[in-house]
Protein backbone atom coordinates (compact mmCIF):
# COMPACT_ATOMS: atom_id res chain seq x y z
CA UNK A 1 0.00 0.00 0.00
CA UNK A 2 2.73 2.51 0.92
CA UNK A 3 4.76 1.53 -2.14
CA UNK A 4 1.75 2.23 -4.36
CA UNK A 5 1.39 5.67 -2.83
CA UNK A 6 4.95 6.78 -3.52
CA UNK A 7 5.09 5.22 -6.97
CA UNK A 8 2.21 7.45 -8.06
CA UNK A 9 3.91 10.62 -6.88
CA UNK A 10 5.49 13.14 -9.17
CA UNK A 11 8.45 15.24 -8.09
CA UNK A 12 8.69 18.67 -9.60
CA UNK A 13 12.06 20.30 -9.06
CA UNK A 14 12.83 23.98 -8.83
CA UNK A 15 12.32 26.14 -11.88
CA UNK A 16 15.36 26.81 -13.98
CA UNK A 17 16.63 30.35 -14.27
CA UNK A 18 15.70 32.17 -17.45
CA UNK A 19 17.97 34.81 -18.92
CA UNK A 20 15.31 35.96 -21.37
CA UNK A 21 11.79 35.00 -20.19
CA UNK A 22 10.09 36.53 -23.25
CA UNK A 23 12.14 34.42 -25.67
CA UNK A 24 11.46 31.34 -23.55
CA UNK A 25 7.72 32.06 -23.51
CA UNK A 26 7.65 32.55 -27.28
CA UNK A 27 9.62 29.33 -27.79
CA UNK A 28 7.18 27.41 -25.60
CA UNK A 29 4.25 28.92 -27.49
CA UNK A 30 5.70 27.70 -30.80
CA UNK A 31 6.53 24.23 -29.43
CA UNK A 32 3.04 23.84 -27.95
CA UNK A 33 1.49 25.04 -31.20
CA UNK A 34 3.50 22.50 -33.19
CA UNK A 35 2.60 19.70 -30.77
CA UNK A 36 6.21 19.17 -29.71
CA UNK A 37 5.59 20.13 -26.09
CA UNK A 38 2.56 20.13 -23.81
CA UNK A 39 1.32 22.87 -21.53
CA UNK A 40 1.81 20.48 -18.63
CA UNK A 41 5.48 20.10 -19.54
CA UNK A 42 5.93 23.87 -19.61
CA UNK A 43 4.24 24.31 -16.24
CA UNK A 44 6.31 21.53 -14.67
CA UNK A 45 9.51 22.93 -16.18
CA UNK A 46 8.74 26.25 -14.49
CA UNK A 47 8.33 24.46 -11.14
CA UNK A 48 4.53 24.41 -11.07
CA UNK A 49 1.98 21.64 -10.64
CA UNK A 50 0.07 21.18 -13.93
CA UNK A 51 -3.00 19.75 -12.17
CA UNK A 52 -3.18 22.68 -9.74
CA UNK A 53 -2.77 25.19 -12.58
CA UNK A 54 -5.56 23.48 -14.55
CA UNK A 55 -7.86 23.62 -11.54
CA UNK A 56 -7.08 27.31 -11.09
CA UNK A 57 -7.79 28.02 -14.75
CA UNK A 58 -11.12 26.19 -14.60
CA UNK A 59 -12.10 28.10 -11.45
CA UNK A 60 -11.11 31.43 -13.01
CA UNK A 61 -13.00 30.68 -16.23
CA UNK A 62 -16.09 29.76 -14.20
CA UNK A 63 -15.89 32.97 -12.13
CA UNK A 64 -15.44 35.05 -15.29
CA UNK A 65 -18.43 33.39 -16.93
CA UNK A 66 -20.58 33.84 -13.79
CA UNK A 67 -19.60 37.52 -13.71
CA UNK A 68 -20.69 37.97 -17.32
CA UNK A 69 -17.19 38.40 -18.71
CA UNK A 70 -16.88 36.74 -22.07
CA UNK A 71 -13.19 36.14 -22.60
CA UNK A 72 -10.09 35.92 -20.49
CA UNK A 73 -7.81 38.91 -20.76
CA UNK A 74 -4.76 38.38 -22.90
CA UNK A 75 -1.55 40.30 -22.74
CA UNK A 76 0.75 40.50 -25.69
CA UNK A 77 4.31 41.23 -24.70
CA UNK A 78 6.26 43.02 -27.36
CA UNK A 79 10.02 43.26 -27.38
CA UNK A 80 11.50 46.64 -26.59
CA UNK A 81 13.38 48.12 -29.51
CA UNK A 82 16.28 49.98 -27.89
CA UNK A 83 17.30 51.43 -31.25
CA UNK A 84 14.00 53.28 -31.71
CA UNK A 85 14.15 57.07 -31.88
CA UNK A 86 13.23 58.79 -28.64
CA UNK A 87 9.84 60.47 -28.59
CA UNK A 88 9.24 63.94 -27.13
CA UNK A 89 8.49 62.62 -23.62
CA UNK A 90 11.72 60.57 -23.60
CA UNK A 91 13.64 63.71 -24.57
CA UNK A 92 11.97 65.74 -21.78
CA UNK A 93 12.76 63.03 -19.23
CA UNK A 94 16.38 62.90 -20.38
CA UNK A 95 16.74 66.69 -20.08
CA UNK A 96 15.59 66.75 -16.45
Amino acid sequence: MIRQAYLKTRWIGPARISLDPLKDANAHKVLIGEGLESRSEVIAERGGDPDAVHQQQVAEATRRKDAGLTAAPTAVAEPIDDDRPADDQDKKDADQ
Side-chain angles (χ1 to χ4, degrees):
M1 182 73 169
I2 294 174
R3 185 169 192 261
Q4 283 181 323
Y6 76 77
L7 287 178
K8 291 184 181 181
T9 60
R10 176 177 41 193
W11 182 77
I12 299 172
R16 65 185 175 100
I17 296 173
S18 176
L19 299 177
D20 192 340
L22 181 58
K23 282 184 183 175
D24 290 345
N26 287 331
H28 287 304
K29 185 176 179 179
V30 169
L31 292 170
I32 289 169
E34 295 296 322
L36 300 173
E37 186 173 48
S38 72
R39 292 172 191 246
S40 294
E41 288 173 318
V42 173
I43 293 166
E45 182 180 302
R46 296 182 65 213
D49 179 0
D51 295 329
V53 171
H54 177 72
Q55 289 174 356
Q56 290 170 348
Q57 290 174 335
V58 169
E60 288 173 7
T62 301
R63 284 195 301 269
R64 291 185 63 76
K65 182 179 176 187
D66 292 345
L69 301 171
T70 56
T74 57
V76 177
E78 302 209 13
I80 297 172
D81 182 10
D82 291 332
D83 296 330
R84 73 187 192 293
D87 64 11
D88 292 336
Q89 185 62 40
D90 289 340
K91 290 176 187 174
K92 288 177 187 175
D93 291 341
D95 291 338
Q96 293 179 359

